[in-house]
Amino acid sequence: MVAGPPADLDVVMFRDPFVFRHEGRRWALVGAGHADGTPSVLLYDCEDLADWRFAGVLLDGHDPVAAGAFGDRAVGWECPQLFPGADGSWVLVVSLWDGDPWTTGCLTGRLVADGAGGLRFAARRAGRLDHGRDFYAPAVLREEGRTLMWGWSWEAREPAAVGRAGWAGVLTAPRVVDAGPDGSLRVARHRSWSGCAPPSRSSPPRAGLRCRRRTT
């Protein structure tokens, strides 16, 4: 457990813990934003789940790879997620907050020791995880040999319309995600959607779900 952010970092956004294991030890990430407008991901040693210990800043918006991909628009990184790629690299996913949900970004790279008992993320490549605003705050699930990802497809309706409907937002269909040898993120539809294929060119247009395999 952790009562709040580190006192000396002027943190004004502190949310969305994510627990992972690296080399047999348990760690946690927390999304953060600082008073000067810098977004970051904070790292905690949580081997003892009842006593989380701050272990430094895993990555922040001043990193040149992150800054080159995302610019300085985001003032907070929400919902950090981290998973290993098949080639030994790691993928860090952050949801970019600019006062509202903006977009979701991903970075590929390595986890490296910082010399003080913690870890840092050495980014190799970064970019948007999805084009558009309707795949936000994704979560990952590690299964043997693969990683699944779901996102939040949030609202474009006015609040009054949401209230009348009685529901808001949906989760997306699952995606299988991995890092490619060049550091790019590879995305494919889950096999449970294999029967959901685009209509042939000779088929007349029709309403309904259309699934497409995509690599980004």
Side-chain angles (χ1 to χ4, degrees), residues 2-6 11-17 29-34 42 44 52 54 77:
V2 58
V11 174
V12 294
M13 172 190 283
F14 184 75
R15 57 187 304 168
D16 308 321
L29 307 180
V30 178
H34 303 258
L42 307 181
Y44 284 81
W52 290 29
F54 179 59
W77 285 347

Side-chain angles (χ1 to χ4, degrees), residues 175-201:
R175 306 175 180 187
V176 181
V177 290
D178 195 7
D182 61 351
S184 63
L185 185 71
R186 303 297 175 90
V187 182
R189 69 186 182 203
H190 188 269
R191 64 172 181 265
S192 64
W193 293 84
S194 59
C196 180
S200 67
R201 292 182 180 272

Side-chain angles (χ1 to χ4, degrees), residues 108-180:
T108 55
R110 296 179 297 115
L111 288 176
V112 297
D114 66 357
L119 300 170
R120 297 296 176 267
F121 190 84
R124 175 187 177 192
R125 186 168 175 173
R128 292 196 184 189
L129 190 148
D130 195 88
H131 294 280
R133 298 171 62 92
D134 295 330
F135 187 84
Y136 195 76
V140 298
L141 172 67
R142 286 284 299 152
E143 293 187 336
E144 186 173 353
R146 67 179 183 181
T147 300
L148 304 181
M149 177 182 287
W150 289 262
W152 170 38
S153 187
W154 62 294
E155 282 301 326
R157 296 176 295 174
E158 294 296 326
V162 173
R164 288 193 298 270
W167 61 274
V170 295
L171 289 179
T172 66
R175 306 175 180 187
V176 181
V177 290
D178 195 7

Side-chain angles (χ1 to χ4, degrees), residues 79-135:
C79 305
Q81 306 279 298
L82 186 69
F83 61 90
D87 64 350
S89 63
W90 286 79
V91 180
L92 176 65
V93 177
V94 289
S95 292
L96 282 61
W97 173 267
D98 67 354
D100 286 301
W102 170 33
T103 191
T104 304
C106 64
L107 306 100
T108 55
R110 296 179 297 115
L111 288 176
V112 297
D114 66 357
L119 300 170
R120 297 296 176 267
F121 190 84
R124 175 187 177 192
R125 186 168 175 173
R128 292 196 184 189
L129 190 148
D130 195 88
H131 294 280
R133 298 171 62 92
D134 295 330
F135 187 84

Side-chain angles (χ1 to χ4, degrees), residues 19-27 43 47 82 84 88 90 110-113 118-120:
V19 176
F20 70 100
R21 285 193 174 274
H22 176 60
E23 295 183 349
R25 190 165 188 85
R26 184 164 45 215
W27 303 88
L43 179 72
E47 188 65 21
L82 186 69
W90 286 79
R110 296 179 297 115
L111 288 176
V112 297
L119 300 170
R120 297 296 176 267

Side-chain angles (χ1 to χ4, degrees), residues 24-60:
R25 190 165 188 85
R26 184 164 45 215
W27 303 88
L29 307 180
V30 178
H34 303 258
D36 65 357
T38 302
S40 74
V41 175
L42 307 181
L43 179 72
Y44 284 81
D45 179 341
C46 64
E47 188 65 21
D48 180 353
L49 288 175
D51 183 22
W52 290 29
R53 298 179 182 273
F54 179 59
V57 177
L58 184 80
L59 188 77
D60 69 20

